[in-house]
Amino acid sequence: MYGIYIDRSSSLPVTRQLCNQLRERIESGQLAAGTKLLPTRVLAKDWGIARNVVIEVYEQLTAEGYLDCRVGSGTYVADGIIPSAAETVHPVPAKMNPSIISPEPPDRTLIDFATGIPDLARFPGKIWAKYLKEAAESSPHEYNYGDVKGCLSLRLALRDYLFRSKGISCSADQLIIVSGASEGFLLLAKALSAQFDSIYLEDPTIDIARDIFRMMNYSLVPVQVDSNGMQVDAIRTFLPGHLLLLTPSHQFPSGSLMPIQRRHQAIRMAEEADAYVIEDDYDSEFRLKGIPVPPLQILSPSRVIYVGTFSKTLSPSLRIGFLIAPPKLLDAITLAKDRLNLHTPAVIQTALAAFIRDGQLERHIHTMKKLYKKRRNLLTERLVQAFGDQISITGDEAGMHLQVLFHTQKHADLPWNDTSAYGFRVERSEDYRIGDGSSESGIVLGYGNLASDQITEGVSRMHRFVSAFGESM
């Protein structure tokens, strides 16, 4: 991308390599003023590196004046840089380690163990089209902006569904419809910024919420995660002006479940500090072992802001999520949503309301839960067959991903962000870290959108990858 090549045999850090090459392309005029650069997430995947590295490069070049970061718009090449007449120096291809070049797999289709993606082929398209058609033909009012909090029909259907499925008791007035959990986090960061400017985050954690609060100028306070979720004890004193974000039912990427003792402790600390806990109920519908875990919100409806989404249960493309706001915060959040003009399409809301009322959502979740359990079992079996006692598998009790921890540093240090030559892609646990604290090294494997044959072949490719490096070490 942009003709930039990472020399992995170089002693020069990757961050410096990228900074040098981007500067060169800007100074030579190859990247002209006003050029919009690709998002950090896209470049991280294309270059096979951690997204944090790309963010660091963008921040460094912004500080130097080469780039202009515009919140909500993107990153652009800054104005006022006069292109030099110097001859462009083209990057020298890296010297490849022979062990990295694997035999061509029989099927060259990349097998991506991406996290957070449900089985897109199993989306009930025909049934959904029926509800969407009915909603589109129902009333001309559906084509207006509507209530900024969301269609009443959807909020009522959600209220009843949440009570049936999770035991949450709330009013339809407390429910605020948003365009996905990401918009929910953004809305909360904006609405609460007058009272709060810092947030305690699990470390490691999913990058979306982390990046949103950072962009909204919150100070991030990372708190280590163990097999029981966030180590709440590490927060010696819950400081004023701090929020707390938790994923207690299925932490990402560790998959850990927070026990009731830590849940009570987190709520008690928030109450004493007159603060709030934001609960990201990440894919808890798919509990694969035991019974569903009650949300944190049930323990303290006045202190917990619940964030839910249909991206995992149905499809990311719907862009529908919701907040359950404590009554005390309802006006502030609604006002911020209105001023930002954040309306969610009414036709989709109306269709989803009928879809939920008729029991279609619960039928779909029930079907997918059984399917994901089979895939989880297959993936764990194949991993054990391939790697035996060299690994531990964690976080497989719920959701659509699990974590693989390596018992030897040799395997943990392999270039897991550069596996496309072997025909597969995975995510590293450490790519989701915020601070510099130590943690177990591993990879995160999503299986929601992979068929059984892809899972089997994907693990086989992983084994070839590890074996090739093992032979050369």
Side-chain angles (χ1 to χ4, degrees):
M1 194 63 62
Y2 304 133
I4 289 174
Y5 193 96
I6 297 174
D7 185 352
R8 301 188 188 277
S9 66
S10 173
S11 60
L12 204 63
V14 171
T15 302
R16 188 173 299 179
Q17 291 186 49
L18 296 178
C19 283
N20 289 347
Q21 293 183 59
L22 273 172
R23 280 194 209 96
E24 176 191 295
R25 275 146 189 74
I26 293 171
E27 290 174 350
S28 67
Q30 289 177 300
L31 289 175
T35 300
K36 184 176 182 179
L37 299 188
L38 290 171
T40 56
R41 189 186 303 276
V42 173
L43 287 178
K45 283 198 171 184
D46 285 342
W47 286 335
I49 59 177
R51 188 181 175 200
N52 284 348
V53 175
V54 186
I55 292 173
E56 185 179 349
V57 170
Y58 275 20
E59 289 176 345
Q60 176 64 30
L61 294 182
T62 299
E64 294 179 14
Y66 286 91
L67 300 180
D68 179 18
C69 181
R70 305 171 193 172
V71 177
S73 177
T75 302
Y76 298 79
V77 176
D79 294 326
I81 301 172
I82 301 173
S84 65
E87 183 180 352
T88 301
V89 179
H90 296 283
V92 179
K95 296 176 181 178
M96 297 298 290
N97 184 329
S99 66
I100 297 179
I101 305 174
S102 69
E104 291 285 312
D107 176 8
R108 290 306 300 150
T109 302
L110 186 72
I111 297 175
D112 193 351
F113 288 87
T115 57
I117 303 178
D119 189 330
L120 304 178
R122 298 297 182 106
F123 178 77
K126 290 184 178 179
I127 297 174
W128 175 250
K130 167 181 169 291
Y131 284 97
L132 199 57
K133 182 175 183 294
E134 291 174 356
E137 296 174 347
S138 62
S139 168
H141 296 295
E142 305 295 352
Y143 294 96
N144 205 341
Y145 285 106
D147 191 332
V148 73
K149 290 170 66 175
C151 294
L152 180 60
S153 60
L154 178 56
R155 289 186 283 128
L156 288 169
L158 258 179
R159 178 200 62 187
D160 296 341
Y161 164 73
L162 291 169
F163 182 74
R164 286 195 310 271
S165 63
K166 299 177 182 290
I168 293 176
S169 180
C170 67
S171 67
D173 193 52
Q174 286 178 262
L175 284 159
I176 301 172
I177 307 302
V178 290
S179 296
S182 299
E183 184 180 281
F185 291 127
L186 182 63
L187 178 59
L188 291 175
K190 179 64 177 177
L192 304 178
S193 61
Q195 186 178 353
F196 301 95
D197 59 8
S198 301
I199 185 166
Y200 296 109
L201 293 173
E202 298 162 334
D203 190 18
T205 190
I206 191 166
D207 52 359
I208 295 173
R210 176 196 69 197
D211 292 347
I212 286 173
F213 280 96
R214 177 185 281 137
M215 288 177 64
M216 295 299 291
N217 296 317
Y218 279 69
S219 296
L220 308 186
V221 183
V223 183
Q224 294 291 308
V225 168
D226 61 20
S227 58
N228 290 316
M230 179 188 278
Q231 298 177 17
V232 183
D233 282 338
I235 306 176
R236 305 280 182 192
T237 303
F238 200 120
L239 297 174
H242 284 60
L243 295 166
L244 173 60
L245 176 57
L246 294 174
T247 52
S249 297
H250 192 224
Q251 202 274 335
F252 185 92
S254 72
S256 58
L257 172 67
M258 179 174 278
I260 189 65
Q261 294 84 353
R262 287 193 182 180
R263 294 175 182 234
H264 280 303
Q265 185 180 3
I267 289 171
R268 184 174 64 253
M269 294 173 74
E271 289 173 345
E272 292 172 353
D274 193 20
Y276 295 91
V277 179
I278 301 173
E279 177 180 15
D280 180 7
D281 199 17
Y282 188 87
D283 65 18
S284 66
E285 284 83 1
F286 301 120
R287 186 75 188 159
L288 307 179
K289 289 184 181 178
I291 61 175
V293 180
L296 196 65
Q297 193 271 352
I298 294 176
L299 299 178
S300 184
S302 64
R303 286 291 165 188
V304 177
I305 308 167
Y306 185 94
V307 181
T309 179
F310 294 96
S311 295
K312 311 298 183 293
T313 51
L314 282 173
S315 167
S317 67
L318 293 183
R319 305 314 303 145
I320 296 281
F322 60 93
L323 307 176
I324 304 176
K328 195 173 179 180
L329 297 178
L330 197 54
D331 288 345
I333 297 173
T334 304
L335 179 61
K337 194 172 192 292
D338 188 39
R339 286 180 171 174
L340 293 170
N341 196 28
L342 297 177
H343 289 262
T344 306
V347 172
I348 295 177
Q349 291 185 65
T350 302
L352 183 57
F355 189 86
I356 294 172
R357 280 198 309 268
D358 291 350
Q360 297 290 354
L361 176 63
E362 283 155 295
R363 290 189 193 99
H364 181 66
I365 290 174
H366 179 71
T367 299
M368 300 311 295
K369 184 176 177 180
K370 291 192 294 184
L371 178 63
Y372 294 146
K373 187 172 184 176
K374 289 180 180 178
R375 291 180 180 172
R376 184 278 313 268
N377 291 343
L378 176 63
L379 178 56
T380 54
E381 288 171 5
R382 294 292 182 263
L383 287 168
V384 170
Q385 288 171 3
F387 300 106
D389 58 5
Q390 296 176 343
I391 62 168
S392 294
I393 297 171
T394 68
D396 63 336
E397 296 183 354
M400 299 176 291
H401 81 271
L402 53 80
Q403 183 176 231
V404 178
L405 300 176
F406 302 103
H407 295 167
T408 63
Q409 196 61 37
K410 177 179 73 172
H411 291 150
D413 290 340
L414 293 180
W416 289 102
N417 279 339
D418 189 18
T419 61
S420 58
Y422 285 80
F424 73 94
R425 178 180 291 155
V426 299
E427 300 169 9
R428 298 187 306 168
S429 306
E430 63 187 75
D431 291 343
Y432 293 97
R433 291 206 61 80
I434 303 172
D436 297 326
S438 60
S439 67
E440 295 178 292
S441 298
I443 56 176
V444 189
L445 304 179
Y447 51 83
N449 197 35
L450 292 178
S452 297
D453 59 338
Q454 291 177 303
I455 290 173
T456 298
E457 175 61 22
V459 174
S460 177
R461 295 180 185 184
M462 266 185 250
H463 187 259
R464 282 201 296 272
F465 170 74
V466 172
S467 298
F469 275 92
E471 292 169 0
S472 64
M473 296 177 75

mmCIF file of all heavy atoms in Angstrom, residues 2 8 83 91 108 113 140 177 317 347 355 370 375 395 402:
data_model
loop_
_atom_site.group_PDB
_atom_site.id
_atom_site.type_symbol
_atom_site.label_atom_id
_atom_site.label_comp_id
_atom_site.label_asym_id
_atom_site.label_seq_id
_atom_site.Cartn_x
_atom_site.Cartn_y
_atom_site.Cartn_z
ATOM 1 N N TYR A 2 0.562 2.227 -0.873
ATOM 2 C CA TYR A 2 1.352 3.429 -1.076
ATOM 3 C C TYR A 2 2.793 3.095 -1.485
ATOM 4 O O TYR A 2 3.685 3.925 -1.352
ATOM 5 C CB TYR A 2 1.395 4.307 0.185
ATOM 6 C CG TYR A 2 0.056 4.725 0.725
ATOM 7 C CD1 TYR A 2 -0.230 4.610 2.076
ATOM 8 C CD2 TYR A 2 -0.920 5.233 -0.118
ATOM 9 C CE1 TYR A 2 -1.462 4.999 2.584
ATOM 10 C CE2 TYR A 2 -2.150 5.609 0.370
ATOM 11 C CZ TYR A 2 -2.417 5.494 1.725
ATOM 12 O OH TYR A 2 -3.650 5.876 2.220
ATOM 13 N N ARG A 8 11.311 -6.792 7.288
ATOM 14 C CA ARG A 8 11.280 -7.489 8.569
ATOM 15 C C ARG A 8 12.646 -8.029 8.983
ATOM 16 O O ARG A 8 12.821 -8.503 10.099
ATOM 17 C CB ARG A 8 10.242 -8.619 8.528
ATOM 18 C CG ARG A 8 8.849 -8.080 8.217
ATOM 19 C CD ARG A 8 7.763 -9.120 8.342
ATOM 20 N NE ARG A 8 6.499 -8.598 7.856
ATOM 21 C CZ ARG A 8 5.667 -7.849 8.570
ATOM 22 N NH1 ARG A 8 5.978 -7.532 9.802
ATOM 23 N NH2 ARG A 8 4.537 -7.410 8.041
ATOM 24 N N PRO A 83 6.969 20.007 -2.272
ATOM 25 C CA PRO A 83 7.623 18.781 -2.772
ATOM 26 C C PRO A 83 9.066 19.058 -3.158
ATOM 27 O O PRO A 83 9.383 20.078 -3.768
ATOM 28 C CB PRO A 83 6.783 18.407 -4.001
ATOM 29 C CG PRO A 83 5.471 19.085 -3.791
ATOM 30 C CD PRO A 83 5.782 20.360 -3.059
ATOM 31 N N PRO A 91 11.799 1.670 -1.981
ATOM 32 C CA PRO A 91 12.180 0.757 -0.911
ATOM 33 C C PRO A 91 12.758 -0.532 -1.458
ATOM 34 O O PRO A 91 12.352 -1.017 -2.513
ATOM 35 C CB PRO A 91 10.850 0.488 -0.181
ATOM 36 C CG PRO A 91 9.796 0.801 -1.190
ATOM 37 C CD PRO A 91 10.349 1.902 -2.035
ATOM 38 N N ARG A 108 -5.895 -21.702 -2.209
ATOM 39 C CA ARG A 108 -5.246 -20.440 -1.872
ATOM 40 C C ARG A 108 -6.193 -19.410 -1.294
ATOM 41 O O ARG A 108 -5.809 -18.274 -1.049
ATOM 42 C CB ARG A 108 -4.554 -19.878 -3.116
ATOM 43 C CG ARG A 108 -3.346 -20.663 -3.565
ATOM 44 C CD ARG A 108 -2.334 -20.847 -2.439
ATOM 45 N NE ARG A 108 -1.829 -19.587 -1.929
ATOM 46 C CZ ARG A 108 -1.435 -19.399 -0.686
ATOM 47 N NH1 ARG A 108 -1.542 -20.358 0.202
ATOM 48 N NH2 ARG A 108 -0.966 -18.236 -0.302
ATOM 49 N N PHE A 113 -9.595 -16.008 10.497
ATOM 50 C CA PHE A 113 -10.211 -16.267 11.799
ATOM 51 C C PHE A 113 -10.589 -14.941 12.456
ATOM 52 O O PHE A 113 -10.233 -14.669 13.609
ATOM 53 C CB PHE A 113 -9.246 -17.058 12.691
ATOM 54 C CG PHE A 113 -9.066 -18.488 12.286
ATOM 55 C CD1 PHE A 113 -8.112 -18.854 11.348
ATOM 56 C CD2 PHE A 113 -9.857 -19.488 12.849
ATOM 57 C CE1 PHE A 113 -7.939 -20.182 10.973
ATOM 58 C CE2 PHE A 113 -9.694 -20.820 12.476
ATOM 59 C CZ PHE A 113 -8.739 -21.167 11.534
ATOM 60 N N PRO A 140 -46.141 6.489 5.802
ATOM 61 C CA PRO A 140 -45.215 7.533 5.328
ATOM 62 C C PRO A 140 -44.422 8.157 6.471
ATOM 63 O O PRO A 140 -43.365 8.752 6.241
ATOM 64 C CB PRO A 140 -46.145 8.559 4.662
ATOM 65 C CG PRO A 140 -47.499 8.315 5.262
ATOM 66 C CD PRO A 140 -47.550 6.838 5.523
ATOM 67 N N ILE A 177 -32.057 3.913 20.904
ATOM 68 C CA ILE A 177 -31.580 3.159 19.745
ATOM 69 C C ILE A 177 -30.422 3.925 19.100
ATOM 70 O O ILE A 177 -30.502 5.139 18.880
ATOM 71 C CB ILE A 177 -32.707 2.951 18.713
ATOM 72 C CG1 ILE A 177 -33.943 2.329 19.394
ATOM 73 C CG2 ILE A 177 -32.217 2.061 17.574
ATOM 74 C CD1 ILE A 177 -33.690 1.009 20.083
ATOM 75 N N SER A 317 -24.198 -5.399 9.284
ATOM 76 C CA SER A 317 -24.661 -4.420 8.296
ATOM 77 C C SER A 317 -25.951 -3.724 8.705
ATOM 78 O O SER A 317 -26.290 -2.675 8.158
ATOM 79 C CB SER A 317 -24.862 -5.101 6.941
ATOM 80 O OG SER A 317 -25.934 -6.025 7.000
ATOM 81 N N VAL A 347 -37.230 2.759 9.054
ATOM 82 C CA VAL A 347 -37.782 1.575 8.378
ATOM 83 C C VAL A 347 -37.130 0.305 8.940
ATOM 84 O O VAL A 347 -37.811 -0.692 9.215
ATOM 85 C CB VAL A 347 -37.585 1.670 6.862
ATOM 86 C CG1 VAL A 347 -37.973 0.360 6.176
ATOM 87 C CG2 VAL A 347 -38.416 2.815 6.288
ATOM 88 N N PHE A 355 -39.907 -8.223 13.780
ATOM 89 C CA PHE A 355 -39.063 -9.425 13.779
ATOM 90 C C PHE A 355 -38.907 -9.956 15.209
ATOM 91 O O PHE A 355 -38.995 -11.167 15.455
ATOM 92 C CB PHE A 355 -37.708 -9.052 13.175
ATOM 93 C CG PHE A 355 -36.783 -10.202 12.905
ATOM 94 C CD1 PHE A 355 -36.846 -10.911 11.720
ATOM 95 C CD2 PHE A 355 -35.814 -10.564 13.835
ATOM 96 C CE1 PHE A 355 -35.973 -11.965 11.455
ATOM 97 C CE2 PHE A 355 -34.940 -11.612 13.582
ATOM 98 C CZ PHE A 355 -35.018 -12.316 12.396
ATOM 99 N N LYS A 370 -26.526 -23.325 18.633
ATOM 100 C CA LYS A 370 -26.188 -24.738 18.419
ATOM 101 C C LYS A 370 -25.090 -24.872 17.373
ATOM 102 O O LYS A 370 -24.174 -25.697 17.523
ATOM 103 C CB LYS A 370 -27.442 -25.517 17.991
ATOM 104 C CG LYS A 370 -28.491 -25.666 19.084
ATOM 105 C CD LYS A 370 -29.560 -26.676 18.717
ATOM 106 C CE LYS A 370 -30.381 -26.217 17.545
ATOM 107 N NZ LYS A 370 -31.498 -27.160 17.246
ATOM 108 N N ARG A 375 -19.050 -25.600 16.056
ATOM 109 C CA ARG A 375 -17.816 -25.055 15.501
ATOM 110 C C ARG A 375 -16.764 -24.866 16.597
ATOM 111 O O ARG A 375 -15.572 -25.102 16.356
ATOM 112 C CB ARG A 375 -18.106 -23.726 14.791
ATOM 113 C CG ARG A 375 -18.926 -23.914 13.518
ATOM 114 C CD ARG A 375 -19.209 -22.607 12.823
ATOM 115 N NE ARG A 375 -20.004 -22.839 11.615
ATOM 116 C CZ ARG A 375 -20.537 -21.895 10.864
ATOM 117 N NH1 ARG A 375 -20.327 -20.618 11.182
ATOM 118 N NH2 ARG A 375 -21.240 -22.190 9.795
ATOM 119 N N GLY A 395 -11.404 -18.938 27.226
ATOM 120 C CA GLY A 395 -12.473 -18.088 26.718
ATOM 121 C C GLY A 395 -13.416 -18.742 25.747
ATOM 122 O O GLY A 395 -14.061 -18.057 24.950
ATOM 123 N N LEU A 402 -12.239 -17.695 20.661
ATOM 124 C CA LEU A 402 -11.501 -18.239 21.786
ATOM 125 C C LEU A 402 -10.055 -17.755 21.692
ATOM 126 O O LEU A 402 -9.629 -17.226 20.671
ATOM 127 C CB LEU A 402 -11.579 -19.775 21.827
ATOM 128 C CG LEU A 402 -11.185 -20.569 20.575
ATOM 129 C CD1 LEU A 402 -9.679 -20.700 20.442
ATOM 130 C CD2 LEU A 402 -11.813 -21.967 20.617
#
